[in-house]
Amino acid sequence: MGKSKFFYIAISFLFGMSSMLSQSLDESVLRFDEYLGYVKAFHPIVKQAELVIDESQAKLMKARGGFDPKIDVDYDRKVFKGSEYYDKLNATFKIPTWYGIELKGSFEETDGVFLNPENSLPKDGLYSAGVSFSIGEGLWINQRMASLKQAKLFREQAKADRDILVNTILYEAALVYFNWLQAYNETLIYENFLGNAQIRFRGVKQNVELGEVAAIDSIEARIVVNDRKLNLEKSKVQLMKARFELSNFLWLKDNVPVELRDTVFPDFESELIVNTTLNIDALLMETSNLDNHPKLQSLDYKYKSLDLERRLKANELLPTIDLQYNFLSTTPEIVNSFSTAAYKSGINISVPLFLRKERGELKLAKVKLQDTNFERISTKLTLKNKINAIQIELQSFEIQNQLTGSVIADYEKLLSAEERRFFVGESSLFLVNSRESKLIDAKLKAIELQNKFFSTKALLFNKLAVNPEF
């Protein structure tokens, strides 16, 4: 009986060593930081987030177009029954400027039998140079000015929104990696304990043949083997599903998806890499000042844009008073020919009587401004409370990990002691299997706890909307 027990121990040790060697030689590891680097570099949604910046640049270019110089040419001619009624040409060059001021130069030429006398001009045409501007509505702010300022704010807001989108996809990718790691560790546990159960079954079966133990022990050992096989098969299915889910986040250049091979596995020692990649130590100190948070920055830019809208609507309550003054000359090559002795001027005044439309739009602008302000206050408080709660949860996980490690160590001692008693005939196979089942459950709970621990770290990373560089 003693020789058979010694044989059982030796086989167990050799089996474990051969398993470790095969893993170290044949397996390739996908580290957490490498994985997130691939996601950030090549994932289509990350590229889609960059389009927000391109969109903001396009809108800024469009707004700047409101200040582009313009050339207007108006030509009108009428000939009827052999008579030229009129032939009119008006070419104008305009340069819009910031405060509603527009510089303008033009050339007019007219001819015809039935030309309106007020349109009669010198034979060589008439040149003019002048300015038009508003002294009421549109002087300090107008739609052109507001659009350009809002486009610049939208560009900055787009950068903050981009960071939020990229952070979200990295957070989702991290959770998938942690699930993959959990499934792989669970599979390893079932593989290792299946090997132990098979070795134990062979040893018990041999002892039954020698008449040293009862035949019922071999049945119990076989039940344990089949139960371990069943759990291993289930864990392999979960691992396969986790591997396919992880493949959803792996892409190469030119939008080529990558299917993860069966020979690629997660890193066992992931905690240090996770902490470094997500910069957890720095994130734990980011609760006091949230003003640089991308979400709050986005709301700040939104608030500034709405405030511009409010100022624009308030400005529309003023009367419209447009003035223009143009110097006239038939010899534009002579600068002194433009003088106050020859000019064309005008004024246009428009005043709505009730201003109901303008007052209504101003009120709506103020409501939107207040709504955004309330949203910012609420968002900041919610973020602060959530981050504080996550930090407390992480501290609790540290304690839970220590306690779980202690429980596993104690279960391993109990199992080892029970196996020694079983070897000398002072215990039963039932007690050994019971101790082993408790150890398996404890290790599975430790793996689940590790997944929750990592996921909570990723959640802190997500709530602070960090966009790391890889």
Side-chain angles (χ1 to χ4, degrees):
M1 181 175 181
K3 291 183 178 179
S4 63
K5 300 300 183 183
F6 176 81
F7 172 78
Y8 166 72
I9 296 174
I11 291 297
S12 297
F13 177 78
L14 292 174
F15 179 85
M17 289 297 296
S18 63
S19 176
M20 292 175 59
L21 288 173
S22 64
Q23 289 177 9
S24 63
L25 292 175
D26 298 335
E27 296 174 3
S28 59
V29 176
L30 176 61
R31 292 181 11 160
F32 180 70
D33 52 349
E34 296 172 340
Y35 164 69
L36 283 192
Y38 284 125
V39 173
K40 186 173 182 181
F42 303 119
H43 198 283
I45 295 182
V46 176
K47 295 179 181 179
Q48 186 180 11
E50 294 295 335
L51 294 179
V52 177
I53 305 297
D54 296 338
E55 180 186 3
S56 67
Q57 293 287 7
K59 289 186 176 181
L60 180 58
M61 181 184 295
K62 177 182 177 181
R64 284 175 174 163
F67 294 90
D68 289 345
K70 297 179 181 178
I71 296 178
D72 293 334
V73 178
D74 183 13
Y75 179 71
D76 199 8
R77 187 167 186 255
K78 180 179 178 181
V79 177
F80 183 66
K81 292 185 178 180
S83 299
E84 185 181 52
Y85 277 56
Y86 55 79
D87 191 315
K88 296 185 290 184
L89 172 66
N90 186 351
T92 305
F93 179 69
K94 301 177 182 179
I95 304 177
T97 60
W98 188 247
Y99 286 106
I101 299 174
E102 190 173 71
L103 304 178
K104 181 170 62 175
S106 65
F107 171 74
E108 294 179 85
E109 187 179 46
T110 58
D111 193 12
V113 179
F114 300 103
L115 190 68
N116 193 323
E118 70 175 11
N119 293 329
S120 297
L121 299 174
K123 182 178 179 182
D124 294 331
L126 184 65
Y127 296 87
S128 66
V131 62
S132 62
F133 56 92
S134 299
I135 60 174
E137 177 191 340
L139 176 60
W140 299 112
I141 187 171
N142 52 50
Q143 186 63 55
R144 186 168 53 201
M145 296 163 56
S147 295
L148 181 56
K149 289 182 177 180
Q150 287 176 327
K152 291 180 179 179
L153 290 172
F154 180 74
R155 180 183 59 184
E156 299 304 316
Q157 182 182 356
K159 293 178 182 178
D161 292 339
R162 183 270 315 272
D163 289 343
I164 294 173
L165 289 172
V166 172
N167 175 272
T168 300
I169 191 64
L170 291 178
Y171 167 67
E172 294 175 355
L175 294 184
V176 171
Y177 184 92
F178 299 149
N179 290 336
W180 180 45
L181 176 62
Q182 179 182 0
Y184 181 62
N185 284 334
E186 289 178 353
T187 301
L188 283 183
I189 287 177
Y190 287 123
E191 284 180 348
N192 291 334
F193 282 98
L194 172 61
N196 293 342
Q198 288 175 332
I199 293 173
R200 190 179 299 123
F201 173 64
R202 288 195 293 269
V204 170
K205 187 177 180 180
Q206 182 180 4
N207 290 335
V208 170
E209 293 174 353
L210 296 175
E212 296 180 356
V213 297
I216 193 68
D217 286 346
S218 65
I219 297 176
E220 182 175 352
R222 186 169 63 245
I223 291 174
V224 173
V225 169
N226 290 332
D227 183 64
R228 299 285 188 269
K229 287 182 178 179
L230 178 62
N231 290 330
L232 177 60
E233 191 63 28
K234 291 180 180 178
S235 67
K236 286 182 177 179
V237 172
Q238 294 301 319
L239 178 60
M240 180 191 64
K241 292 171 64 177
R243 186 183 296 115
F244 279 120
E245 189 174 0
L246 191 80
S247 298
N248 293 334
F249 291 88
L250 288 176
W251 297 76
L252 294 178
K253 212 170 182 179
D254 301 325
N255 300 326
V256 178
V258 177
E259 183 175 343
L260 203 65
R261 299 193 307 270
D262 296 343
T263 56
V264 180
F265 302 96
D267 188 10
F268 292 99
E269 303 295 333
S270 293
E271 183 170 0
L272 180 60
I273 297 177
V274 169
N275 291 341
T276 303
T277 305
L278 302 182
N279 200 15
I280 295 300
D281 293 337
L283 296 185
L284 290 173
M285 304 173 64
E286 289 290 333
T287 54
S288 57
N289 184 15
L290 294 176
D291 292 334
N292 294 328
H293 192 282
K295 180 62 177 178
L296 296 179
Q297 286 184 335
S298 178
L299 289 174
D300 284 340
Y301 290 124
K302 180 181 178 181
Y303 183 90
K304 292 177 182 179
S305 179
L306 291 173
D307 188 53
L308 280 172
E309 190 72 18
R310 179 196 60 79
R311 289 172 53 195
L312 180 63
K313 298 305 179 183
N315 186 261
E316 291 177 354
L317 296 176
L318 299 175
T320 302
I321 305 177
D322 295 330
L323 303 177
Q324 61 171 330
Y325 189 92
N326 297 279
F327 298 96
L328 303 178
S329 174
T330 57
T331 56
E333 66 276 6
I334 303 174
V335 178
N336 294 336
S337 65
F338 290 99
S339 66
T340 56
Y343 66 90
K344 183 171 65 173
S345 63
I347 182 171
N348 179 38
I349 301 176
S350 175
V351 183
L353 295 180
F354 299 110
L355 294 172
R356 286 180 292 191
K357 176 184 175 183
E358 290 77 8
R359 287 188 287 114
E361 290 182 347
L362 177 59
K363 188 173 181 179
L364 289 174
K366 289 181 178 179
V367 169
K368 292 179 181 178
L369 202 60
Q370 290 178 337
D371 180 71
T372 302
N373 186 46
F374 291 145
E375 183 182 1
R376 189 189 186 282
I377 294 173
S378 174
T379 300
K380 185 173 184 179
L381 179 61
T382 302
L383 282 173
K384 183 177 180 180
N385 290 336
K386 286 184 177 180
I387 292 170
N388 286 333
I390 292 172
Q391 289 181 331
I392 295 174
E393 190 175 4
L394 288 175
Q395 294 174 0
S396 175
F397 276 126
E398 293 282 359
I399 298 173
Q400 293 179 50
N401 280 330
Q402 294 176 1
L403 293 175
T404 303
S406 178
V407 169
I408 290 175
D410 289 341
Y411 272 130
E412 287 176 341
K413 292 177 182 178
L414 287 176
L415 176 60
S416 178
E418 202 66 49
E419 285 180 335
R420 286 196 299 269
R421 293 181 61 197
F422 176 68
F423 294 155
V424 297
E426 295 180 0
S427 182
S428 65
L429 184 61
F430 173 79
L431 290 176
V432 173
N433 291 333
S434 177
R435 298 292 190 195
E436 191 177 66
S437 296
K438 293 290 186 181
L439 178 58
I440 293 174
D441 291 340
K443 287 193 171 185
L444 292 176
K445 288 180 180 178
I447 293 173
E448 182 181 2
L449 183 62
Q450 182 192 54
N451 180 278
K452 292 180 180 179
F453 191 27
F454 287 166
S455 298
T456 304
K457 290 181 178 181
L459 183 61
L460 178 62
F461 169 83
N462 176 247
K463 292 305 176 183
L464 288 171
V466 180
N467 187 0
E469 297 293 335
F470 294 103

